[in-house]
Amino acid sequence: GKTETLLEVNNIEVIYNHVILVLKGVSLAVPKGGITALLGGNGAGKTTTLKAISNLLHSERGEVTKGSILYRGERVQDLDPAALVKLGVIQVMEGRHCFEHLTVEENLLTGAYTRTDTGAIAADLDMVYTYFPRLKERRRSQAGYTSGGEQQMVAIGRALMSKPETILLDEPSMGLAPQLVEQIFEIVKAVNEKEGVTFLLAEQNTNVALRYAHYGYILESGRVVMDGPAKDLRENPDVKEFYLGMS
Ligand code: ATP
Protein backbone atom coordinates (compact mmCIF):
# COMPACT_ATOMS: atom_id res chain seq x y z
CA GLY A 1 0.00 0.00 0.00
CA LYS A 2 0.83 3.67 0.08
CA THR A 3 3.45 4.78 2.61
CA GLU A 4 2.13 6.95 5.35
CA THR A 5 3.50 10.47 5.59
CA LEU A 6 4.41 11.07 9.22
CA LEU A 7 5.67 14.60 9.08
CA GLU A 8 4.50 17.23 6.65
CA VAL A 9 5.95 20.71 6.37
CA ASN A 10 3.84 22.95 4.15
CA ASN A 11 5.30 26.11 2.72
CA ILE A 12 6.72 27.48 5.98
CA GLU A 13 8.28 30.84 6.37
CA VAL A 14 10.55 31.59 9.34
CA ILE A 15 11.55 35.05 10.47
CA TYR A 16 14.19 35.84 13.12
CA ASN A 17 14.01 39.03 15.18
CA HIS A 18 10.85 40.10 13.32
CA VAL A 19 12.84 41.08 10.24
CA ILE A 20 15.26 38.41 9.00
CA LEU A 21 13.44 36.10 6.60
CA VAL A 22 15.36 32.84 6.67
CA LEU A 23 12.94 30.20 5.36
CA LYS A 24 11.08 31.40 2.29
CA GLY A 25 8.44 28.74 1.84
CA VAL A 26 9.86 25.32 2.65
CA SER A 27 7.80 22.19 2.05
CA LEU A 28 8.77 18.61 2.70
CA ALA A 29 7.27 15.25 3.53
CA VAL A 30 8.81 12.57 5.73
CA PRO A 31 7.44 9.08 5.10
CA LYS A 32 7.08 6.60 7.93
CA GLY A 33 10.02 4.22 8.12
CA GLY A 34 12.30 6.23 5.85
CA ILE A 35 15.54 8.16 6.14
CA THR A 36 15.02 11.61 4.66
CA ALA A 37 17.94 13.99 4.23
CA LEU A 38 17.82 17.75 4.36
CA LEU A 39 20.90 18.93 2.49
CA GLY A 40 22.55 22.22 1.74
CA GLY A 41 25.50 24.40 2.62
CA ASN A 42 26.26 26.45 5.65
CA GLY A 43 23.39 28.82 6.43
CA ALA A 44 20.96 27.29 3.93
CA GLY A 45 18.33 26.85 6.66
CA LYS A 46 18.60 23.20 7.66
CA THR A 47 18.85 23.77 11.40
CA THR A 48 16.11 26.40 11.25
CA THR A 49 13.81 23.89 9.56
CA LEU A 50 14.43 21.25 12.24
CA LYS A 51 13.94 23.81 15.01
CA ALA A 52 10.72 25.02 13.42
CA ILE A 53 9.43 21.43 13.47
CA SER A 54 10.33 20.84 17.11
CA ASN A 55 9.24 24.32 18.18
CA LEU A 56 12.65 25.41 19.40
CA LEU A 57 12.78 28.76 17.62
CA HIS A 58 11.30 30.93 20.35
CA SER A 59 14.45 31.05 22.46
CA GLU A 60 16.26 32.41 19.40
CA ARG A 61 13.62 35.02 18.64
CA GLY A 62 12.51 33.12 15.58
CA GLU A 63 8.96 32.30 14.55
CA VAL A 64 7.03 30.48 11.88
CA THR A 65 5.06 33.23 10.19
CA LYS A 66 3.44 31.26 7.37
CA GLY A 67 2.60 27.68 6.47
CA SER A 68 1.87 24.65 8.59
CA ILE A 69 3.61 21.68 10.19
CA LEU A 70 1.66 18.46 10.65
CA TYR A 71 2.61 15.23 12.40
CA ARG A 72 0.32 12.31 11.61
CA GLY A 73 -2.05 14.93 10.25
CA GLU A 74 -2.13 16.88 13.49
CA ARG A 75 -0.95 20.46 13.61
CA VAL A 76 2.10 20.55 15.88
CA GLN A 77 3.49 24.03 15.58
CA ASP A 78 1.92 25.30 18.78
CA LEU A 79 3.00 22.33 20.88
CA ASP A 80 5.87 22.70 23.30
CA PRO A 81 8.90 20.45 22.72
CA ALA A 82 7.91 18.09 25.56
CA ALA A 83 4.48 17.49 24.02
CA LEU A 84 6.16 16.68 20.75
CA VAL A 85 8.35 14.09 22.49
CA LYS A 86 5.16 12.49 23.80
CA LEU A 87 3.91 12.29 20.21
CA GLY A 88 7.10 10.40 19.36
CA VAL A 89 9.30 13.07 17.81
CA ILE A 90 12.69 13.86 19.27
CA GLN A 91 15.41 16.17 18.08
CA VAL A 92 19.13 15.49 18.43
CA MET A 93 20.66 18.91 18.25
CA GLU A 94 23.79 19.92 16.46
CA GLY A 95 26.80 20.00 18.75
CA ARG A 96 25.57 16.97 20.71
CA HIS A 97 24.85 18.60 24.07
CA CYS A 98 25.62 15.90 26.63
CA PHE A 99 25.35 16.52 30.32
CA GLU A 100 29.10 16.66 30.84
CA HIS A 101 29.08 15.92 34.57
CA LEU A 102 26.85 12.88 34.29
CA THR A 103 28.15 9.48 33.24
CA VAL A 104 27.42 8.07 29.82
CA GLU A 105 24.75 5.79 31.31
CA GLU A 106 23.13 8.57 33.31
CA ASN A 107 22.99 10.63 30.12
CA LEU A 108 21.25 7.79 28.31
CA LEU A 109 18.74 7.41 31.13
CA THR A 110 17.80 11.09 30.96
CA GLY A 111 16.30 10.22 27.57
CA ALA A 112 13.69 8.09 29.31
CA TYR A 113 12.40 10.86 31.56
CA THR A 114 8.93 10.96 30.03
CA ARG A 115 8.44 7.21 30.41
CA THR A 116 6.77 5.32 33.22
CA ASP A 117 7.42 1.75 32.03
CA THR A 118 10.49 1.29 34.21
CA GLY A 119 10.91 -2.40 33.36
CA ALA A 120 11.19 -1.70 29.66
CA ILE A 121 13.72 1.07 30.26
CA ALA A 122 16.39 -1.43 31.32
CA ALA A 123 15.73 -3.49 28.21
CA ASP A 124 16.05 -0.40 26.03
CA LEU A 125 19.33 0.49 27.65
CA ASP A 126 20.56 -2.93 26.54
CA MET A 127 19.16 -2.24 23.08
CA VAL A 128 21.15 1.02 22.91
CA TYR A 129 24.29 -0.82 24.02
CA THR A 130 23.90 -3.39 21.26
CA TYR A 131 23.95 -0.56 18.68
CA PHE A 132 26.72 1.28 20.51
CA PRO A 133 29.03 -1.31 22.15
CA ARG A 134 31.49 1.52 22.70
CA LEU A 135 29.02 3.24 25.02
CA LYS A 136 28.69 0.11 27.09
CA GLU A 137 32.45 0.10 27.63
CA ARG A 138 32.31 3.77 28.56
CA ARG A 139 29.10 3.67 30.60
CA ARG A 140 30.71 4.70 33.89
CA SER A 141 32.78 7.49 32.33
CA GLN A 142 31.86 11.11 32.76
CA ALA A 143 30.40 12.20 29.41
CA GLY A 144 32.50 15.37 29.36
CA TYR A 145 35.61 13.25 29.12
CA THR A 146 34.49 11.12 26.18
CA SER A 147 35.42 11.84 22.56
CA GLY A 148 33.36 13.79 20.03
CA GLY A 149 32.27 10.59 18.35
CA GLU A 150 31.25 9.02 21.65
CA GLN A 151 29.26 12.14 22.55
CA GLN A 152 27.42 11.93 19.24
CA MET A 153 26.63 8.30 20.09
CA VAL A 154 25.39 9.37 23.53
CA ALA A 155 23.14 12.00 21.92
CA ILE A 156 21.59 9.48 19.55
CA GLY A 157 21.40 6.80 22.24
CA ARG A 158 19.62 9.20 24.59
CA ALA A 159 17.11 9.97 21.85
CA LEU A 160 16.48 6.24 21.40
CA MET A 161 15.75 5.92 25.12
CA SER A 162 12.60 7.99 24.62
CA LYS A 163 11.27 5.26 22.29
CA PRO A 164 10.78 7.70 19.44
CA GLU A 165 8.86 7.12 16.27
CA THR A 166 10.86 9.86 14.53
CA ILE A 167 14.32 11.31 15.18
CA LEU A 168 15.29 14.73 13.84
CA LEU A 169 19.05 14.51 13.61
CA ASP A 170 21.03 17.70 13.07
CA GLU A 171 24.42 17.39 11.38
CA PRO A 172 25.54 14.03 12.80
CA SER A 173 28.84 14.22 10.90
CA MET A 174 29.91 17.53 12.34
CA GLY A 175 33.49 17.52 13.57
CA LEU A 176 33.95 13.78 13.19
CA ALA A 177 36.67 11.90 11.31
CA PRO A 178 35.40 10.22 8.10
CA GLN A 179 35.59 6.72 9.56
CA LEU A 180 33.48 7.72 12.54
CA VAL A 181 30.98 9.49 10.30
CA GLU A 182 30.55 6.23 8.42
CA GLN A 183 30.10 4.34 11.70
CA ILE A 184 27.41 6.74 12.90
CA PHE A 185 25.50 6.48 9.61
CA GLU A 186 25.74 2.68 9.70
CA ILE A 187 24.09 2.79 13.11
CA VAL A 188 21.39 5.18 11.88
CA LYS A 189 20.70 2.73 9.07
CA ALA A 190 20.54 -0.24 11.45
CA VAL A 191 18.23 1.59 13.88
CA ASN A 192 16.01 2.57 10.95
CA GLU A 193 15.83 -0.97 9.61
CA LYS A 194 15.59 -2.94 12.86
CA GLU A 195 13.71 -0.57 15.17
CA GLY A 196 11.66 1.06 12.41
CA VAL A 197 12.63 4.55 13.55
CA THR A 198 11.97 7.27 10.97
CA PHE A 199 14.75 9.81 10.43
CA LEU A 200 14.88 13.35 9.14
CA LEU A 201 18.52 14.33 9.11
CA ALA A 202 20.14 17.64 8.27
CA GLU A 203 23.57 17.20 6.78
CA GLN A 204 26.19 19.27 4.98
CA ASN A 205 28.02 16.12 4.01
CA THR A 206 25.95 15.41 0.90
CA ASN A 207 28.05 12.49 -0.14
CA VAL A 208 27.54 10.39 2.96
CA ALA A 209 23.94 11.50 3.49
CA LEU A 210 22.87 10.48 -0.02
CA ARG A 211 24.42 7.06 0.43
CA TYR A 212 22.30 6.33 3.50
CA ALA A 213 19.11 8.33 2.94
CA HIS A 214 16.20 7.18 0.81
CA TYR A 215 15.09 10.63 -0.22
CA GLY A 216 16.70 14.06 -0.16
CA TYR A 217 15.77 17.73 -0.19
CA ILE A 218 18.37 20.34 -1.11
CA LEU A 219 18.02 23.74 0.51
CA GLU A 220 19.60 26.93 -0.77
CA SER A 221 19.00 30.29 0.92
CA GLY A 222 15.86 29.10 2.63
CA ARG A 223 14.25 27.41 -0.35
CA VAL A 224 14.06 23.81 -1.52
CA VAL A 225 15.78 23.90 -4.91
CA MET A 226 15.69 20.21 -5.66
CA ASP A 227 14.32 17.01 -4.20
CA GLY A 228 14.11 13.38 -5.18
CA PRO A 229 15.06 9.81 -4.35
CA ALA A 230 18.64 9.74 -3.05
CA LYS A 231 19.72 7.55 -5.94
CA ASP A 232 18.49 10.10 -8.51
CA LEU A 233 20.12 12.99 -6.66
CA ARG A 234 23.45 11.14 -6.57
CA GLU A 235 23.34 10.83 -10.34
CA ASN A 236 22.07 14.34 -11.03
CA PRO A 237 24.76 16.40 -12.87
CA ASP A 238 24.08 19.57 -10.83
CA VAL A 239 24.24 17.71 -7.53
CA LYS A 240 27.46 16.05 -8.68
CA GLU A 241 29.01 19.35 -9.61
CA PHE A 242 27.87 21.57 -6.76
CA TYR A 243 27.45 19.18 -3.84
CA LEU A 244 29.57 16.13 -4.53
CA GLY A 245 32.56 17.95 -6.03
CA MET A 246 32.62 15.76 -9.13
CA SER A 247 32.61 17.66 -12.38
P1 ATP B 1 24.49 25.32 9.55
O1 ATP B 1 25.01 24.09 8.92
O2 ATP B 1 25.49 26.42 9.64
O3 ATP B 1 23.73 25.09 10.82
P2 ATP B 1 21.95 25.66 8.36
O4 ATP B 1 21.62 25.27 6.96
O5 ATP B 1 21.50 24.78 9.43
O6 ATP B 1 23.48 25.90 8.46
P3 ATP B 1 20.64 27.75 9.77
O7 ATP B 1 21.43 27.54 10.99
O8 ATP B 1 19.25 27.29 9.75
O9 ATP B 1 21.38 27.12 8.52
O10 ATP B 1 20.70 29.28 9.40
C1 ATP B 1 20.01 29.83 8.30
C2 ATP B 1 20.18 31.35 8.27
O11 ATP B 1 19.55 31.92 9.41
C3 ATP B 1 21.64 31.80 8.34
O12 ATP B 1 21.79 32.89 7.45
C4 ATP B 1 21.80 32.25 9.75
O13 ATP B 1 22.76 33.28 9.85
C5 ATP B 1 20.43 32.74 10.13
N1 ATP B 1 20.14 32.59 11.57
C6 ATP B 1 20.20 31.43 12.28
N2 ATP B 1 19.85 31.63 13.57
C7 ATP B 1 19.55 32.94 13.67
C8 ATP B 1 19.13 33.79 14.74
N3 ATP B 1 18.92 33.30 15.96
N4 ATP B 1 18.94 35.09 14.48
C9 ATP B 1 19.14 35.58 13.23
N5 ATP B 1 19.53 34.86 12.19
C10 ATP B 1 19.75 33.55 12.39
Side-chain angles (χ1 to χ4, degrees), residues 15-17 20-23 39-51 57 59-62 94 170-171 174 202-204 219 222:
I15 296 182
Y16 284 113
N17 289 315
I20 310 164
L21 178 64
V22 164
L23 297 189
L39 306 162
N42 215 325
K46 304 180 299 296
T47 298
T48 300
T49 303
L50 294 189
K51 286 187 173 170
L57 286 173
S59 58
E60 310 198 26
R61 300 179 52 78
E94 182 178 288
D170 199 0
E171 211 83 51
M174 198 175 66
E203 189 51 77
Q204 276 196 51
L219 276 181

Short mmCIF file of all heavy atoms in Angstrom, two decimals, residues 15-17 20-23 39-51 57 59-62 94 170-171 174 202-204 219 222, ligand 1:
data_model
loop_
_atom_site.label_atom_id
_atom_site.label_comp_id
_atom_site.label_asym_id
_atom_site.label_seq_id
_atom_site.Cartn_x
_atom_site.Cartn_y
_atom_site.Cartn_z
N ILE A 15 10.94 33.73 10.32
CA ILE A 15 11.55 35.05 10.47
C ILE A 15 12.23 35.14 11.84
O ILE A 15 11.65 34.74 12.85
CB ILE A 15 10.48 36.17 10.31
CG1 ILE A 15 9.90 36.12 8.88
CG2 ILE A 15 11.07 37.54 10.61
CD1 ILE A 15 8.88 37.20 8.57
N TYR A 16 13.48 35.59 11.85
CA TYR A 16 14.19 35.84 13.12
C TYR A 16 14.11 37.32 13.45
O TYR A 16 14.20 38.17 12.55
CB TYR A 16 15.67 35.46 12.99
CG TYR A 16 15.96 33.97 13.04
CD1 TYR A 16 16.44 33.30 11.92
CD2 TYR A 16 15.77 33.24 14.21
CE1 TYR A 16 16.73 31.94 11.96
CE2 TYR A 16 16.06 31.88 14.26
CZ TYR A 16 16.53 31.24 13.14
OH TYR A 16 16.81 29.90 13.18
N ASN A 17 13.98 37.63 14.72
CA ASN A 17 14.01 39.03 15.18
C ASN A 17 13.02 39.94 14.43
O ASN A 17 13.30 41.11 14.24
CB ASN A 17 15.42 39.61 15.02
CG ASN A 17 16.38 39.00 16.01
OD1 ASN A 17 16.08 38.87 17.19
ND2 ASN A 17 17.54 38.59 15.54
N ILE A 20 14.38 39.20 9.87
CA ILE A 20 15.26 38.41 9.00
C ILE A 20 14.53 37.18 8.49
O ILE A 20 14.30 36.21 9.23
CB ILE A 20 16.54 37.99 9.75
CG1 ILE A 20 17.18 39.21 10.42
CG2 ILE A 20 17.53 37.33 8.79
CD1 ILE A 20 18.22 38.85 11.47
N LEU A 21 14.16 37.22 7.21
CA LEU A 21 13.44 36.10 6.60
C LEU A 21 14.44 35.03 6.21
O LEU A 21 15.27 35.24 5.34
CB LEU A 21 12.68 36.62 5.37
CG LEU A 21 11.91 35.57 4.57
CD1 LEU A 21 10.78 34.96 5.38
CD2 LEU A 21 11.34 36.21 3.30
N VAL A 22 14.36 33.88 6.88
CA VAL A 22 15.36 32.84 6.67
C VAL A 22 14.80 31.65 5.89
O VAL A 22 15.46 31.12 5.00
CB VAL A 22 15.96 32.40 8.02
CG1 VAL A 22 16.69 31.10 7.89
CG2 VAL A 22 16.92 33.47 8.54
N LEU A 23 13.58 31.23 6.19
CA LEU A 23 12.94 30.20 5.36
C LEU A 23 11.86 30.87 4.53
O LEU A 23 10.98 31.56 5.06
CB LEU A 23 12.33 29.09 6.21
CG LEU A 23 13.28 28.24 7.07
CD1 LEU A 23 12.53 27.04 7.66
CD2 LEU A 23 14.50 27.78 6.30
N LEU A 39 19.53 18.61 2.87
CA LEU A 39 20.90 18.93 2.49
C LEU A 39 21.06 20.40 2.16
O LEU A 39 20.07 21.10 1.95
CB LEU A 39 21.28 18.08 1.27
CG LEU A 39 21.06 16.58 1.45
CD1 LEU A 39 21.03 15.87 0.11
CD2 LEU A 39 22.16 16.00 2.33
N GLY A 40 22.30 20.82 2.09
CA GLY A 40 22.55 22.22 1.74
C GLY A 40 23.74 22.75 2.51
O GLY A 40 24.14 22.18 3.52
N GLY A 41 24.29 23.84 2.01
CA GLY A 41 25.50 24.40 2.62
C GLY A 41 25.22 25.11 3.93
O GLY A 41 24.09 25.16 4.41
N ASN A 42 26.29 25.66 4.45
CA ASN A 42 26.26 26.45 5.65
C ASN A 42 25.26 27.60 5.51
O ASN A 42 25.32 28.35 4.56
CB ASN A 42 27.66 27.05 5.80
CG ASN A 42 28.06 27.16 7.24
OD1 ASN A 42 27.21 27.42 8.09
ND2 ASN A 42 29.31 26.94 7.51
N GLY A 43 24.32 27.69 6.46
CA GLY A 43 23.39 28.82 6.43
C GLY A 43 22.21 28.66 5.49
O GLY A 43 21.42 29.59 5.31
N ALA A 44 22.06 27.49 4.88
CA ALA A 44 20.96 27.29 3.93
C ALA A 44 19.59 27.25 4.62
O ALA A 44 18.56 27.52 4.01
CB ALA A 44 21.18 26.00 3.15
N GLY A 45 19.59 26.89 5.91
CA GLY A 45 18.33 26.85 6.66
C GLY A 45 17.95 25.48 7.20
O GLY A 45 16.83 25.27 7.64
N LYS A 46 18.89 24.57 7.20
CA LYS A 46 18.60 23.20 7.66
C LYS A 46 18.24 23.17 9.15
O LYS A 46 17.21 22.60 9.54
CB LYS A 46 19.82 22.28 7.41
CG LYS A 46 20.26 22.26 5.95
CD LYS A 46 21.46 21.36 5.73
CE LYS A 46 22.71 21.75 6.49
NZ LYS A 46 23.27 23.06 6.09
N THR A 47 19.10 23.77 9.96
CA THR A 47 18.85 23.77 11.40
C THR A 47 17.55 24.52 11.72
O THR A 47 16.76 24.08 12.57
CB THR A 47 20.03 24.44 12.14
OG1 THR A 47 21.21 23.66 11.88
CG2 THR A 47 19.80 24.49 13.63
N THR A 48 17.34 25.62 11.03
CA THR A 48 16.11 26.40 11.25
C THR A 48 14.88 25.54 10.95
O THR A 48 13.89 25.59 11.68
CB THR A 48 16.13 27.67 10.37
OG1 THR A 48 17.27 28.46 10.75
CG2 THR A 48 14.86 28.48 10.55
N THR A 49 14.95 24.75 9.90
CA THR A 49 13.81 23.89 9.56
C THR A 49 13.55 22.88 10.67
O THR A 49 12.41 22.70 11.10
CB THR A 49 14.08 23.15 8.21
OG1 THR A 49 14.34 24.12 7.21
CG2 THR A 49 12.88 22.29 7.82
N LEU A 50 14.62 22.23 11.15
CA LEU A 50 14.43 21.25 12.24
C LEU A 50 13.89 21.92 13.49
O LEU A 50 13.01 21.38 14.17
CB LEU A 50 15.74 20.53 12.56
CG LEU A 50 16.34 19.62 11.48
CD1 LEU A 50 17.50 18.82 12.05
CD2 LEU A 50 15.29 18.66 10.92
N LYS A 51 14.41 23.11 13.81
CA LYS A 51 13.94 23.81 15.01
C LYS A 51 12.50 24.28 14.86
O LYS A 51 11.76 24.35 15.84
CB LYS A 51 14.86 24.98 15.34
CG LYS A 51 16.18 24.51 15.94
CD LYS A 51 17.02 25.67 16.42
CE LYS A 51 18.24 25.15 17.16
NZ LYS A 51 19.21 26.22 17.43
N LEU A 57 12.31 27.48 18.17
CA LEU A 57 12.78 28.76 17.62
C LEU A 57 12.59 29.94 18.58
O LEU A 57 13.29 30.93 18.50
CB LEU A 57 12.03 29.09 16.32
CG LEU A 57 12.44 28.27 15.09
CD1 LEU A 57 11.49 28.59 13.93
CD2 LEU A 57 13.88 28.54 14.70
N SER A 59 13.32 30.59 21.66
CA SER A 59 14.45 31.05 22.46
C SER A 59 15.47 31.79 21.60
O SER A 59 16.36 32.45 22.12
CB SER A 59 15.12 29.85 23.14
OG SER A 59 15.53 28.93 22.16
N GLU A 60 15.34 31.68 20.28
CA GLU A 60 16.26 32.41 19.40
C GLU A 60 15.56 33.56 18.69
O GLU A 60 16.02 34.05 17.67
CB GLU A 60 16.84 31.45 18.37
CG GLU A 60 17.37 30.22 19.03
CD GLU A 60 18.32 29.45 18.14
OE1 GLU A 60 18.95 30.07 17.26
OE2 GLU A 60 18.42 28.25 18.33
N ARG A 61 14.41 33.93 19.22
CA ARG A 61 13.62 35.02 18.64
C ARG A 61 13.23 34.75 17.19
O ARG A 61 13.19 35.65 16.35
CB ARG A 61 14.35 36.37 18.77
CG ARG A 61 14.63 36.75 20.22
CD ARG A 61 15.37 38.06 20.37
NE ARG A 61 14.77 39.18 19.64
CZ ARG A 61 13.71 39.87 20.04
NH1 ARG A 61 13.09 39.53 21.14
NH2 ARG A 61 13.26 40.88 19.35
N GLY A 62 12.99 33.47 16.92
CA GLY A 62 12.51 33.12 15.58
C GLY A 62 11.07 32.66 15.66
O GLY A 62 10.62 32.18 16.70
N GLU A 94 22.42 19.77 16.93
CA GLU A 94 23.79 19.92 16.46
C GLU A 94 24.70 20.25 17.65
O GLU A 94 24.30 20.97 18.55
CB GLU A 94 23.78 21.09 15.47
CG GLU A 94 25.07 21.41 14.80
CD GLU A 94 24.87 22.57 13.81
OE1 GLU A 94 24.25 22.34 12.76
OE2 GLU A 94 25.32 23.67 14.11
N ASP A 170 20.37 16.54 13.68
CA ASP A 170 21.03 17.70 13.07
C ASP A 170 22.53 17.48 12.95
O ASP A 170 23.23 17.35 13.94
CB ASP A 170 20.74 18.96 13.90
CG ASP A 170 20.99 20.22 13.10
OD1 ASP A 170 21.39 20.12 11.92
OD2 ASP A 170 20.79 21.32 13.66
N GLU A 171 22.99 17.40 11.70
CA GLU A 171 24.42 17.39 11.38
C GLU A 171 25.22 16.34 12.16
O GLU A 171 26.18 16.68 12.85
CB GLU A 171 24.98 18.78 11.69
CG GLU A 171 26.14 19.22 10.83
CD GLU A 171 25.70 19.82 9.50
OE1 GLU A 171 24.86 20.71 9.46
OE2 GLU A 171 26.20 19.31 8.49
N MET A 174 29.13 16.35 12.01
CA MET A 174 29.91 17.53 12.34
C MET A 174 31.12 17.25 13.25
O MET A 174 30.98 16.69 14.32
CB MET A 174 29.04 18.60 13.00
CG MET A 174 29.70 19.96 12.97
SD MET A 174 28.66 21.25 13.62
CE MET A 174 28.53 20.77 15.33
N ALA A 202 19.55 16.49 8.95
CA ALA A 202 20.14 17.64 8.27
C ALA A 202 21.63 17.36 8.16
O ALA A 202 22.26 16.93 9.12
CB ALA A 202 19.91 18.90 9.09
N GLU A 203 22.16 17.58 6.97
CA GLU A 203 23.57 17.20 6.78
C GLU A 203 24.22 18.04 5.69
O GLU A 203 23.66 18.22 4.61
CB GLU A 203 23.62 15.70 6.44
CG GLU A 203 24.98 15.07 6.42
CD GLU A 203 25.82 15.31 7.66
OE1 GLU A 203 25.59 14.67 8.69
OE2 GLU A 203 26.75 16.13 7.61
N GLN A 204 25.39 18.57 5.99
CA GLN A 204 26.19 19.27 4.98
C GLN A 204 26.98 18.30 4.13
O GLN A 204 27.36 18.60 3.01
CB GLN A 204 27.18 20.23 5.65
CG GLN A 204 26.57 21.56 6.00
CD GLN A 204 27.64 22.61 6.30
OE1 GLN A 204 28.57 22.81 5.53
NE2 GLN A 204 27.49 23.26 7.43
N LEU A 219 18.40 22.37 0.16
CA LEU A 219 18.02 23.74 0.51
C LEU A 219 19.11 24.71 0.06
O LEU A 219 20.29 24.42 0.23
CB LEU A 219 17.90 23.87 2.03
CG LEU A 219 16.63 23.49 2.76
CD1 LEU A 219 16.81 23.76 4.25
CD2 LEU A 219 15.44 24.26 2.23
N GLY A 222 17.21 29.18 2.08
CA GLY A 222 15.86 29.10 2.63
C GLY A 222 14.79 28.60 1.68
O GLY A 222 13.59 28.75 1.94
P1 ATP B 1 24.49 25.32 9.55
O1 ATP B 1 25.01 24.09 8.92
O2 ATP B 1 25.49 26.42 9.64
O3 ATP B 1 23.73 25.09 10.82
P2 ATP B 1 21.95 25.66 8.36
O4 ATP B 1 21.62 25.27 6.96
O5 ATP B 1 21.50 24.78 9.43
O6 ATP B 1 23.48 25.90 8.46
P3 ATP B 1 20.64 27.75 9.77
O7 ATP B 1 21.43 27.54 10.99
O8 ATP B 1 19.25 27.29 9.75
O9 ATP B 1 21.38 27.12 8.52
O10 ATP B 1 20.70 29.28 9.40
C1 ATP B 1 20.01 29.83 8.30
C2 ATP B 1 20.18 31.35 8.27
O11 ATP B 1 19.55 31.92 9.41
C3 ATP B 1 21.64 31.80 8.34
O12 ATP B 1 21.79 32.89 7.45
C4 ATP B 1 21.80 32.25 9.75
O13 ATP B 1 22.76 33.28 9.85
C5 ATP B 1 20.43 32.74 10.13
N1 ATP B 1 20.14 32.59 11.57
C6 ATP B 1 20.20 31.43 12.28
N2 ATP B 1 19.85 31.63 13.57
C7 ATP B 1 19.55 32.94 13.67
C8 ATP B 1 19.13 33.79 14.74
N3 ATP B 1 18.92 33.30 15.96
N4 ATP B 1 18.94 35.09 14.48
C9 ATP B 1 19.14 35.58 13.23
N5 ATP B 1 19.53 34.86 12.19
C10 ATP B 1 19.75 33.55 12.39
#
